[in-house]
Amino acid sequence: MADMVSHAKVVVIGGGVVGCSILFHLAKFGWKDVVLLERNELTSGSSWHAAGQIHTISSDPNISRLQGYTINLYKEIEETSGHSVGMHNTGGFYLASNSDWYDYLKRERSKARYMGLDQEFISIEEAAERHPLIDPSHYLAALWDPLDGDIDPSGVTYAYAKSARVHGAKYYTHTPVIETNQRPDGSWDVVTENGTINAEMIVNAGGLWAREVGHLAGLHLPVQPMEHHYLITEDIPEITARTERLPAGIDYEGNIYFRQERGGMLLGTYEPRATPWSLAGTPQSFGHELLEPKLDNIADRLEIGFERIPALATAGIKNIINGPFTFGPDGNPMIGPVPGMTNYWVAVGVMAGFCQGGGVGLCMAEWMMDGEPSIDVWAMDVARFGDYATPHWGTVKSSENYERRFVMTFPNETLPKGRRQQTTALYDRLVSRGAVMGDSHGLENALWFATDADDAHEDPTFRRSRAHDYVAAEVAAVRHDVGAIEIANFAKHECKGEGARAFLDHMLAGHVPKPGRLQLTPMLTPKGKLYGDMTVACLAEDHFYLFGSGAAQNMHRRWFESHLPDSGVTYANRSDAWHGIAISGPKSRTLLQRLVREDVGADTLAFRDVRQTFVAGVPAMLLRISFSGELGYEIYVAPQYQLRLFEAIEEAGQDLGLRLYGSRALMSMRLEKNWGAWTLDFRPDFTAAESGLDAFINWNKDFIGKAAALAEAKSGPVKKLVMMTIETDDIDVSNDEAIFANGEPVGYVSSGGFAHHIGTSMAFGYVPSALANDGTEVQVEILGSLCPARIVAAPLYDANGGKMRG
């Protein structure tokens, strides 16, 4: 082996498909001083034994887009490297054998329309013509994607690595990393048996060894290798007699995927009971080995496969592969800079590496080189998990996701495993009151309230569930009397110090308020994309709290910490230090006045005031603000005071019609006010002007992203966020549906639901600016049906905000 370099801008640890893709993209985009280190040979681990089937469909539209990018990239790396990737562009179909999966495929096709992916339904008869081995009597529908097919896993990995070398990168095999030590300047010494490389940044792309590589830096990743089976048959006469290769296929209800392999077939499945592999850690000696097959684990799935593809039942089995590959807690990759660490990046848990590896490499290279990826990668961002995501929790959730790989998850469905990882002092009280709980960023929170605990259930569905009428009653209580909702899962970020105001003025695009006041402000990236929408509370000239998305708290923590000056400002994510309750409705002031000694009238506690005080006899931070659109208050207290506050609110509200409500009601009410939500309508796919948040920009100062925002202000945004009313009967949008105008897809839904107070279905969505006018008629595709919709410019409830400000 050639002498190893002693310095690199980036060291990528791991020579599987993901690490090699990252190396390739970094070198292709211009960083030549990049190195990959592999403990054994390239592909050692899980890359070499992957089934190699490729497809574009994913639950997240941007991941689907990146999977399309990955597949289209294979021709380029084959040409650049001169190494065959074994690509078979057979096309592929997704089979639905019941109405629920048919509905799922309709949703997927709707997403594909606005993403420019070429997916279309074909008849079952046509599917059987293209793949004569399937028994069409089992199926209702088939969705066809011409991009699908299969590749040679080792060929792809080597093509990435050799292409990276053509572009100037280096890789070293048989070079295990034994230490990663950070220097005071933030760089890393990557220690190997063959020498040490000082790296400005390191990337953990360790695959099966991601946990062990993380441990070297004190990082505990919630990923888990799983055993996974597929089999390859002997030659099948119906296949060997063909001149054209069979297309790939996925049967969702059957929980099988299949494709041609030489003269036979490959059949894979995700077992109904996952088998986590090597909980204590991946052995260092493991490499190009397979695990002992456990056919009993997949016998029922094989039986389904033999029934639906009858030729398999009589074909001999040539190989049974049981190999480990790594899953993340929700099945999506974990990529990006790790919050709380400097110059440490991960690209782990990429279980569909040959579908997603190219897209992951693209996003990682853009992120490292430009400071942000070109599209929103929230569904893959390592920051979507917090400290609650321990290795044990990761094993539990990864197992659940493995078992549900081809199991429908409905829009209203909450998954059962790994629950109650984080709870508040009110958890048992809320459950006893009939709360149906969900979890966000690991924290349990109330979705809606049934009559009592025995009534607290709903069946998964695409349509309106039994919760519909309960949520309507919660909305009515807030609109007419007073409601209370727990707000522990809002994020709270604290900035203190003499330089805090100047720091926030630079970080935030909007006005930073004066002491005692609140202000909504967007936060932008250098390219002018949204990176947050924050409510800023100024407690004193040198003391601020920022309230935002609880799900995005670690992403925002990472952003603030990466921009902190050397002195004058301290920052902390204080989300777990402040829980609380919000009260909203016409009678909320009356309720609050019963809990405090001071006057809380409109003249003394005005809209957007913040006050440090005592509520119900406990220390509190009191905000005169409301996401419901009614007169309301957010009351934040330390967790140990929350139960006392709750009991006092319940007691004081008995004669006021007080009702507890959950996030479903809150999300319904915000639709009537035309208020977007973070991770849905507001995210880094969009700019301030596109989202309408440019109305909150303070143009009379410098801030991150100002140049890009100014340029867009002059040219005008290409698309805009609009609110629509939709004519539907028993179903509402569940996000990502295509929006049509004049028979063509022109945009897509970012969020929506039923607006209970005004009694109509509504949706937010992005459409071309030319269409973003009051009264424009469009259509929204919901489960394959084009529903008439109308754009509405002004909020349909309390358009001037008089109730909220009163």
Side-chain angles (χ1 to χ4, degrees), residues 251-285:
D251 176 335
Y252 285 109
E253 188 186 28
N255 206 326
I256 55 174
Y257 61 90
F258 51 91
R259 67 171 178 82
Q260 183 174 333
E261 174 66 17
R262 299 185 185 275
M265 285 195 69
L266 179 151
L267 176 74
T269 185
Y270 292 85
E271 298 89 307
R273 178 167 294 182
T275 306
W277 178 73
S278 197
L279 292 174
T282 303
Q284 289 300 316
S285 59

Side-chain angles (χ1 to χ4, degrees), residues 128-201:
E129 286 178 15
R130 297 185 186 189
H131 200 303
L133 274 65
I134 68 168
D135 179 354
S137 67
H138 294 284
Y139 301 110
L140 292 177
L143 183 64
W144 176 261
D145 191 323
L147 274 185
D148 292 9
D150 63 275
I151 46 78
D152 167 30
S154 292
V156 166
T157 307
Y158 276 95
Y160 275 128
K162 291 180 178 180
S163 295
R165 184 177 280 171
V166 168
H167 287 295
K170 297 180 175 66
Y171 64 86
Y172 302 97
T173 59
H174 299 283
T175 308
V177 174
I178 53 179
E179 292 180 30
T180 55
N181 303 314
Q182 193 161 32
R183 293 184 181 182
D185 66 0
S187 67
W188 290 84
D189 285 335
V190 183
V191 182
T192 80
E193 295 175 353
N194 300 320
T196 298
I197 304 179
N198 177 247
E200 295 176 30
M201 292 180 271

Side-chain angles (χ1 to χ4, degrees), residues 437-679:
M437 305 296 284
D439 66 327
S440 177
H441 204 67
L443 181 66
E444 297 289 323
N445 58 91
L447 301 175
W448 60 279
F449 287 84
T451 306
D452 53 47
D454 292 335
D455 187 41
H457 65 90
E458 66 179 316
D459 295 325
T461 178
F462 282 119
R463 290 165 172 79
R464 292 175 191 157
S465 76
R466 69 183 301 268
H468 188 78
D469 291 341
Y470 291 93
V471 174
E474 293 173 21
V475 170
V478 176
R479 291 288 187 237
H480 299 297
D481 297 308
V482 60
I485 182 172
E486 186 180 38
I487 50 173
N489 59 336
F490 289 1
K492 306 101 194 171
H493 306 272
E494 185 180 32
C495 287
K496 299 173 69 174
E498 61 182 4
R501 177 175 290 276
F503 172 66
L504 292 177
D505 240 347
H506 175 63
M507 296 295 295
L508 306 173
H511 293 269
V512 178
K514 297 177 180 179
R517 295 289 289 163
L518 299 163
Q519 179 66 49
L520 179 70
T521 171
M523 184 162 62
L524 306 182
T525 71
K527 293 183 179 179
K529 298 293 184 72
L530 289 178
Y531 210 71
D533 65 314
M534 299 288 185
T535 298
V536 185
C538 181
L539 303 183
E541 271 297 334
D542 60 352
H543 194 185
F544 298 85
Y545 267 90
L546 290 79
F547 300 85
S549 165
Q553 61 184 265
N554 263 352
M555 165 182 147
H556 289 143
R557 168 198 172 185
R558 180 179 62 199
W559 189 250
F560 286 122
E561 288 181 339
S562 68
H563 289 85
L564 272 178
D566 293 334
S567 62
V569 187
T570 60
Y571 162 83
N573 177 3
R574 302 267 283 159
S575 299
D576 294 336
W578 294 91
H579 289 176
I581 299 167
I583 55 175
S584 303
K587 299 177 183 177
S588 60
R589 181 178 285 124
T590 302
L591 174 56
L592 179 63
Q593 191 63 73
R594 295 176 180 180
L595 302 174
V596 298
R597 292 182 175 179
E598 62 206 288
D599 179 37
V600 291
D603 295 334
T604 55
L605 186 63
F607 179 62
R608 291 198 295 109
D609 273 357
V610 58
R611 181 181 297 177
Q612 290 176 288
T613 184
F614 304 98
V615 180
V618 301
M621 184 166 24
L622 178 62
L623 282 63
R624 170 77 199 282
I625 198 166
S626 167
F627 196 55
S628 69
E630 295 290 342
L631 170 68
Y633 307 84
E634 293 180 358
I635 309 163
Y636 292 98
V637 297
Q640 66 267 27
Y641 296 124
Q642 192 182 19
L643 183 57
R644 175 72 195 105
L645 175 66
F646 176 76
E647 291 178 337
I649 287 174
E650 277 206 319
E651 183 179 349
Q654 281 183 354
D655 62 336
L656 298 176
L658 175 71
R659 186 172 186 131
L660 300 177
Y661 69 101
S663 59
R664 297 258 183 96
L666 188 65
M667 293 298 276
S668 170
M669 289 185 282
R670 61 101 192 183
L671 293 173
E672 301 170 341
K673 295 292 294 177
N674 284 22
W675 287 342
W678 187 256
T679 74

